[in-house]
């Protein structure tokens, strides 16, 4: 974490509660090519979600990496000779006296030769193709012993009641602990602290360490973001913050550790970061993630944090005498654990007691450039000590509290299967626990993702199902038609039965979320998200009733994509989802003439049926028989000059658009608009700062029929400075964000837009001249989930209610222009909103 909350892009109904007694005593205490990362493949079979509540053991599939193919048929050590990368003298770790990336594999290879306690393997590749390492520390295990551990791990999740009664499991199940390091590339020392711990435990002759490795398995992903480590950047090489990506899984780095987490099912995990001045150790402040079994988390998290604080206190540095524990030391909203976009917060849903740890002394950014090398190295040495001490302390906590941690992970999953309500946590349950800490969810009985005509987009439904399965949420498929809450669902509809072990994660992903504006004055990061409302699929909620239908578990969504008979008919494609956009750009790339009607309808001629069949298969989209409407206008493949953030560029490219990144500087350096057909302005383009020559080129582009799409306050400022649409843009508070309800406006540009959108720093448009049309408006009570308060000079949701959120118009000079006040591409999350962007591009360039 550790980023000013005001800088968002610059870095790239109460449940029925059961009362628990208060705990009277604390719990004892050069580039490599990416072979192509796949997005959502199924990683394991789901358990049968029978209505009887039976829970047959699930069959786990190994993660994608070859090294893990052997899976649990192999004992320990399971050593892999890691490929070594060329020495890179520019690696930013070198200046700090820390381990450059190219030295990690040689060190791990050497340790594997020296010690049968060390197993290293590759669990994924970074954006630029660097290997992501997983090191496992454990005493040697025979294949039979390792297989038994795997069966127990599965039993805990799949049949927790049986696990709770298994005495041999209680005695012999090895406590899994997971350490993730360096997810932020320019927060280096977690890696070095992890390597220190690996070397110490690999070579220790201390009997206590031998005993530890008999009762504990320690997993360390030593650098989660090697591209950022080498380059000295917080983000990965694609410009994404990996530690904001865990609910959306857009990046190979987050997908790799997600799979490690699911495969290892740790009892305790820590995510090593920096730099907060004082060492910071979670648990966090309210608001707390409402879908957790928070009682089972906080009692361990608080004690573990105190242990880590004591451990750094013993290091003897003045700078490490104490820690900041946000739960204990900060005000509500200062360092919350609300969104599961962070590794530890996401891990809690998989049964781990998760912590962010921030090592104290800043060595990145300005300090990296300006401080003397000796001072940087002095700081990095201390940070490295802190990382090592917190890792060691967390491992010790897991060992010392092994039985209770196992029981509590079992209990987490048992409550899920049983559909029991969360527990009410009394004041003082841990020191300081009070009313402000109480967040809870009422879990619905099931979510249903319909098939057939009841589904908004079949491809979106399949994408959502694959995503849920990849995150270890159990999904099943109806074998017959069924009725639920008065609605008929066809055979093949997907069911998420909420009586399942990871119901908390299922709910965190699928529910609408909650408006927490009144709970805290501010938030650390986002406050609203929803795959149920923003990913383009229809997701129905059944509060009390489970579907009465035979279902089968889903390992991967069924295929989608179809063409209608007869072969001679022209084909129509509704632009409902990003997959539809991908199909269109694919067809345009192949020279197929696609026409667009005034109502946004896209038609592909019958002569291109074979190409359309390929598109239907590849993108899962549905073509229908074209109606007999008037002939539309031929679409040209758009070329977009985009002044936008990394996530927006990634979305535009993912849709198949040709994108040329621009900025004030790029335009001033003589950017040629040539074949550019649209200019998208979100950030980094200040019209007033353009040279006269750059303005002349821009004007020539507009005079030549170029279209303009803008997003947010930066885009609206460009619109005004360029003299395009006569509107007044009103900005809400800069940190306001969440899921909003929207209504259709009076325009025809946004075809079939869903009823929800996403905002961050919301903008709305007033004073619309006759030449400007509202395409979409904020609903009367717009904020569904998130945090949006009025600021001193900025309006809240009440002020935005009913106002235009997206407008279109043709400027006096003839430029087709669309202005978004919403955030349809934020962090590549709201996938159901991408068709709106394409609608705007196609209209503006036609
Ligand atoms: Zn960080």
């Amino acid at each position: 974490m550790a980023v000013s909350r005001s800088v968002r892009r610059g870095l790239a109904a109460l449940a029925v509660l059961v009362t628990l007694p208060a705990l009277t005593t604390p719990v004892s205490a050069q580039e490599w090519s990416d072979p192509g990362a796949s997005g959502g493949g199924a990683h394991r079979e789901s358990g049968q979600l029978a209505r009887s509540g039976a829970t047959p053991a699930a069959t786990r599939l190994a993660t994608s990496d070859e090294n893990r193919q052997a899976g649990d048929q192999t004992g320990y050590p399971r050593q892999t000779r890691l490929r070594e990368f060329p020495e890179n003298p520019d690696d930013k770790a070198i200046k700090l006296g820390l381990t450059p990336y190219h030295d990690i594999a040689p060190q791990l290879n050497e340790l594997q030769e020296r010690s049968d306690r060390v197993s290293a393997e590759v669990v994924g590749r970074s954006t630029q193709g660097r290997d992501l390492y997983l090191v496992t520390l454990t005493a040697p295990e025979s294949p039979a012993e390792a297989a038994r551990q795997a069966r127990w791990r599965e039993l805990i999740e799949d049949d927790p009641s049986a696990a709770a009664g298994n005495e041999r499991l209680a005695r012999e199940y090895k406590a899994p602990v997971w350490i993730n390091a360096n997810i932020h590339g320019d927060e280096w020392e977690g890696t070095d602290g992890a390597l220190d711990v690996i070397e110490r435990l690999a070579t220790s002759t201390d009997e206590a360490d031998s005993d530890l490795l008999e009762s504990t398995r320690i997993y360390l992903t030593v650098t989660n973001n090697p591209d950022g480590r080498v380059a000295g950047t917080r983000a990965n090489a694609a410009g994404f913050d990996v530690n904001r990506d865990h609910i959306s899984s857009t990046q190979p780095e987050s997908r790799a550790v997600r799979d490690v987490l699911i495969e290892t099912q740790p009892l305790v995990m820590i995510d090593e970061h920096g730099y907060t001045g004082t060492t910071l150790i979670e648990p966090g402040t309210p608001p707390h993630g409402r879908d957790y079994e928070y009682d089972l988390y906080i009692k361990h998290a608080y004690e573990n944090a105190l242990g880590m604080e004591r451990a750094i206190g013993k290091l003897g540095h003045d700078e490490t005498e104490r820690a900041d524990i946000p739960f204990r030391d900060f005000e509500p909203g200062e360092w919350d654990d609300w969104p599961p976009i962070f590794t530890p917060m996401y891990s809690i849903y998989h049964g781990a007691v998760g912590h962010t740890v921030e090592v104290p002394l800043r060595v990145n950014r300005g300090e990296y450039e300006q401080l003397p090398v000796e001072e940087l190295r002095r700081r990095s040495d201390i940070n490295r000590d802190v990382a090592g001490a917190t890792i060691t302390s967390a491992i010790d906590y897991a060992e010392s509290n092994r039985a209770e941690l196992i029981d509590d992970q079992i209990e987490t999953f048992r409550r899920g299967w049983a559909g029991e309500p969360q527990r009410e946590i009394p004041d003082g349950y841990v020191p300081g626990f009070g009313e402000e800490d109480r967040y809870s969810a009422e879990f619905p009985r099931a979510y249903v993702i319909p098939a057939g005509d009841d589904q908004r987009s079949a491809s979106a439904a399949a994408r959502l199902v694959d995503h849920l399965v990849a995150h270890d949420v159990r999904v099943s498929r109806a074998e017959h038609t069924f009725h639920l809450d008065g609605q008929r669902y066809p055979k093949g509809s997907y069911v998420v039965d909420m009586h399942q072990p990871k119901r908390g994660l299922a709910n965190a992903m699928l529910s609408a979320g909650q408006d927490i504006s009144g709970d805290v004055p501010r938030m650390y990061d986002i406050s609203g998200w929803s795959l149920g409302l923003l990913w383009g699929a229809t997701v129905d909620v059944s509060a009390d009733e489970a579907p009465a239908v035979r279902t089968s578990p889903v390992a991967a969504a069924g295929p989608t994509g179809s063409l209608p008979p007869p072969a001679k008919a022209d084909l129509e494609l509704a632009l409902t989802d990003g997959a539809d956009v991908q199909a269109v750009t694919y067809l345009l790339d192949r020279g197929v003439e696609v026409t667009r009607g005034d109502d946004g309808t896209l038609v592909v001629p019958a002569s291109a049926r074979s190409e359309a069949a390929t598109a239907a298969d590849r993108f899962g989209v549905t073509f229908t028989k074209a109606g007999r409407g008037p002939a539309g206008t031929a679409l040209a493949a758009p070329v977009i000059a985009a002044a936008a953030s990394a996530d927006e560029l990634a979305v535009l490219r993912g849709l198949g658009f040709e994108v040329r990144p621009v900025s004030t500087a790029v335009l001033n350096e003589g950017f040629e608009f040539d074949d550019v057909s649209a200019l998208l302005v979100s950030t980094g383009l200040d019209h007033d700062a353009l040279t006269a020559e750059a303005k002349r080129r821009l004007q020539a582009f507009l005079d030549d029929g170029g279209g303009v799409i803008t997003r947010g306050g930066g885009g609206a400022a460009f619109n005004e400075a360029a003299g395009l649409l006569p509107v007044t843009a009103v900005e809400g508070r800069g940190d306001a964000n969440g899921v909003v309800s929207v209504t259709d406006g009076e325009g025809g540009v946004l075809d079939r837009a869903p009823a929800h959108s996403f905002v961050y720093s919301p903008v709305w448009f007033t004073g619309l001249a006759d030449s400007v049309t509202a395409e979409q408006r904020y609903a009367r009570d717009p904020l569904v989930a998130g945090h949006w308060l009025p600021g001193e000079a900025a309006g809240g949701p009440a002020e935005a209610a009913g106002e235009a959120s997206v407008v279109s118009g043709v400027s006096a000079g003839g430029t087709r222009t669309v202005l978004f006040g919403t955030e349809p591409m934020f962090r590549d999350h709201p996938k159901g909103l991408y068709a709106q962007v394409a609608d705007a591009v196609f209209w503006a360039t036609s």
Side-chain angles (χ1 to χ4, degrees):
M1 298 201 196
V3 55
S4 159
R5 71 179 57 78
S6 62
V7 180
R8 63 162 291 259
R9 288 204 185 256
L11 317 160
L14 286 183
V16 181
L17 297 164
V18 179
T19 302
L20 285 180
L23 288 182
T24 49
T25 50
V27 285
S28 61
Q30 82 247 149
E31 310 285 282
W32 299 275
S33 64
D34 185 354
S38 80
H43 289 257
R44 50 164 295 176
E45 304 277 344
S46 297
Q48 178 90 29
L49 294 173
R51 275 163 290 124
S52 67
T55 63
T59 307
R60 282 181 186 275
L61 302 181
T63 57
S64 57
D65 184 76
E66 278 182 345
N67 295 321
R68 294 178 70 77
Q69 293 283 316
D72 295 320
Q73 270 71 56
T74 313
Y76 282 96
R78 45 184 74 167
Q79 297 179 329
T80 306
R81 174 131 195 116
L82 302 173
R83 65 168 168 164
E84 299 184 1
F85 285 73
E87 185 173 334
N88 177 1
D90 297 327
D91 189 306
K92 297 286 188 184
I94 294 170
K95 182 177 182 181
L96 300 171
L98 298 171
T99 313
Y101 177 76
H102 57 255
D103 275 351
I104 297 175
Q107 283 188 29
L108 294 176
N109 283 336
E110 192 260 340
L111 278 171
Q112 289 186 102
E113 284 174 16
R114 281 166 63 194
S115 172
D116 61 4
R117 297 170 173 175
V118 181
S119 302
E121 57 194 309
V122 175
V123 291
R125 288 200 185 147
S126 69
T127 301
Q128 290 182 326
R130 292 185 175 88
D131 290 336
L132 303 175
Y133 309 120
L134 170 67
V135 175
T136 305
L137 289 169
T138 186
E141 294 173 26
S142 69
E145 286 169 334
R148 190 179 308 118
Q149 292 293 325
R151 283 199 303 275
W152 283 334
R153 186 188 64 228
E154 288 167 7
L155 192 69
I156 289 169
E157 182 187 345
D158 298 339
D159 194 349
S161 296
N166 189 317
E167 290 175 13
R168 190 165 174 203
L169 183 158
R171 277 196 314 273
E172 297 180 25
Y173 182 58
K174 299 174 88 162
V177 179
W178 174 40
I179 311 301
N180 194 44
N182 200 203
I183 189 169
H184 287 147
D186 65 351
E187 298 164 14
W188 290 270
E189 294 89 345
T191 298
D192 304 86
L195 290 169
D196 292 343
V197 171
I198 293 167
E199 175 156 22
R200 182 173 62 73
L201 289 176
T203 56
S204 169
T205 53
D206 189 331
E207 199 170 330
D209 290 330
S210 302
D211 292 346
L212 168 71
L213 296 177
E214 291 290 341
S215 67
T216 311
R217 269 206 209 148
I218 304 156
Y219 302 100
L220 307 98
T221 35
V222 296
T223 170
N224 191 183
N225 182 0
D227 301 342
R229 180 177 191 82
V230 170
T233 59
R234 173 185 181 85
N236 72 352
F240 277 71
D241 186 331
V242 185
N243 199 38
R244 300 292 182 272
D245 194 47
H246 286 293
I247 203 98
S248 307
S249 305
T250 69
Q251 301 302 301
E253 293 88 355
S254 64
R255 290 192 292 266
V257 294
R258 172 195 68 195
D259 293 347
V260 166
L261 170 64
I262 292 170
E263 283 293 316
T264 63
Q265 204 168 293
L267 300 172
V268 173
M269 79 79 53
I270 61 177
D271 202 34
E272 291 280 349
H273 290 255
Y275 305 97
T276 39
T278 303
T279 301
L280 181 146
I281 304 171
E282 289 177 339
T285 69
H288 306 301
R290 64 172 192 157
D291 297 300
Y292 296 136
E293 304 303 320
Y294 200 73
D295 56 320
L296 300 175
Y297 167 72
I298 190 63
K299 66 176 182 179
H300 292 294
Y302 192 76
E303 285 301 321
N304 192 20
L306 294 178
M308 289 190 257
E309 180 179 47
R310 287 191 294 272
I312 65 164
K314 288 178 193 157
L315 290 171
H317 307 294
D318 292 344
E319 295 92 337
T320 63
E321 280 181 2
R322 58 173 285 274
D324 283 329
I325 299 175
F327 181 88
R328 182 190 67 187
D329 302 325
F330 290 3
E331 293 300 313
E334 293 290 328
W335 195 284
D336 64 88
D337 53 40
W338 180 251
I341 56 177
F342 313 114
T343 320
M345 278 61 258
Y346 174 75
S347 300
I348 301 170
Y349 287 120
H350 291 279
V353 177
H355 303 256
T356 298
V357 170
E358 302 266 352
V359 301
L361 305 175
R362 183 169 293 283
V363 294
N364 61 1
R365 303 180 199 158
E367 279 81 349
Y368 186 95
E369 300 302 332
Q370 289 149 23
L371 288 178
V373 172
E374 313 85 80
E375 171 61 10
L376 286 172
R377 293 188 174 192
R378 185 190 74 83
R379 292 184 178 197
S380 275
D381 279 348
I382 295 173
N383 289 337
R384 179 180 188 148
D385 281 354
V386 169
T390 52
I391 292 168
T392 300
S393 177
I395 293 168
D396 287 348
Y397 183 85
E399 186 191 23
S400 306
N401 298 276
R402 177 185 154 281
E404 189 170 350
L405 283 161
I406 293 171
D407 285 351
D408 289 335
Q409 190 181 67
I410 289 172
E411 173 66 5
T412 297
F413 296 147
R414 191 198 64 77
R415 288 183 196 169
W417 279 116
E420 288 183 7
Q422 295 165 322
R423 303 299 194 257
E424 184 171 6
I425 306 175
D427 287 351
Y429 177 73
V430 295
F433 193 97
E435 181 56 33
E436 72 282 6
D437 290 303
R438 277 191 196 98
Y439 284 82
S440 62
E442 189 169 18
F443 298 109
R445 186 61 186 81
Y447 289 95
V448 180
I449 303 170
D453 295 341
D454 295 330
Q455 179 54 254
R456 188 181 144 75
S457 166
S459 53
R463 177 179 59 224
L464 177 59
V465 166
D466 282 340
H467 188 82
L468 291 169
V469 171
H471 284 256
D472 208 22
V473 171
R474 293 164 196 238
V475 184
S476 61
R477 200 160 194 201
E479 295 181 7
H480 308 283
T481 297
F482 64 98
H483 290 78
L484 184 65
D485 285 345
Q487 191 172 335
R488 177 186 173 281
Y489 291 96
K491 173 185 175 180
S493 293
Y494 297 100
V495 176
V496 179
D497 185 324
M498 289 293 282
H499 286 191
Q500 62 169 299
K502 297 180 181 176
R503 65 168 179 187
L505 181 58
N507 209 50
M509 288 184 155
L510 292 172
S511 72
Q514 186 174 328
D515 178 356
I516 52 168
S517 308
D519 294 0
V520 289
R522 69 181 67 84
M523 289 285 288
Y524 188 90
D525 199 88
I526 61 161
S527 313
W529 63 89
S530 174
L531 284 65
L533 296 181
L534 298 177
W535 273 40
T538 303
V539 179
D540 292 340
V541 187
S542 177
D544 303 313
E545 197 184 339
V549 62
R550 187 180 171 83
T551 64
S552 46
V554 170
T560 62
S562 62
L563 274 72
K568 284 181 294 188
D570 287 347
L571 301 166
E572 187 172 313
L573 181 65
L575 209 60
T576 305
D577 188 74
D580 304 312
V581 181
Q582 290 176 312
V584 173
T585 54
Y586 170 85
L587 292 170
L588 291 173
D589 271 358
R590 267 142 202 82
V592 172
E593 183 177 288
V594 181
T595 57
R596 183 179 188 277
D598 286 343
D599 62 352
T601 304
L602 300 174
V603 174
V604 178
S607 59
R609 188 176 175 94
S610 140
E611 289 90 341
T614 305
D617 183 50
R618 182 171 298 184
F619 305 107
V621 301
T622 303
F623 290 90
T624 56
K625 187 166 174 283
R628 292 166 180 270
T633 321
L635 281 184
V639 177
I640 305 173
S645 51
D647 49 355
E648 293 173 318
L649 295 174
V651 170
L652 293 169
R653 287 180 169 135
L655 294 174
F657 291 122
E658 186 174 339
V659 180
R660 309 214 175 129
V662 296
S663 62
T664 309
V666 168
L667 261 53
N668 284 343
E669 284 157 14
F671 179 78
E672 296 281 358
F673 281 90
D674 288 342
D675 55 346
V676 170
S677 46
L679 173 64
L680 186 144
V681 181
S682 157
T683 185
L685 180 48
D686 178 359
H687 191 275
D688 294 339
L690 293 175
T691 64
E693 172 60 15
K695 283 180 179 163
R696 190 195 61 73
R697 286 171 197 265
L698 172 64
Q699 193 57 49
F701 160 75
L702 299 176
D703 293 345
D704 200 31
V708 172
I709 298 103
T710 80
R711 202 272 308 154
F718 177 86
N719 170 69
E720 186 175 356
L724 298 172
L725 300 187
V727 294
T728 301
V730 184
E731 296 192 35
R733 206 169 94 165
D735 66 349
N737 72 84
V739 181
V740 291
S741 281
V742 292
T743 60
D744 286 343
E746 299 77 50
V749 174
L750 299 194
D751 186 34
R752 301 176 182 82
H756 295 94
S757 193
F758 184 82
V759 293
Y760 201 121
S761 308
V763 172
W764 54 99
F765 305 99
T766 63
L768 276 52
D770 288 347
S771 61
V772 180
T773 306
E775 292 288 337
Q776 191 176 77
R777 295 177 182 279
Y778 291 107
R780 214 153 44 165
D781 183 11
L783 189 65
V784 173
H787 194 271
W788 181 358
L789 290 170
E792 280 175 26
E799 196 179 326
E803 301 290 355
S805 55
V806 183
V807 297
S808 71
V810 181
S811 76
T815 300
R816 287 188 170 210
T817 306
V818 181
L819 314 180
F820 282 88
T822 54
E823 229 345 311
M825 297 181 277
F826 183 75
R827 293 180 184 162
D828 200 2
H829 173 70
K831 298 183 189 293
L833 308 183
Y834 299 167
Q836 293 176 35
V837 178
D839 278 327
V841 168
F842 288 136
W843 178 78
T845 57
S846 61

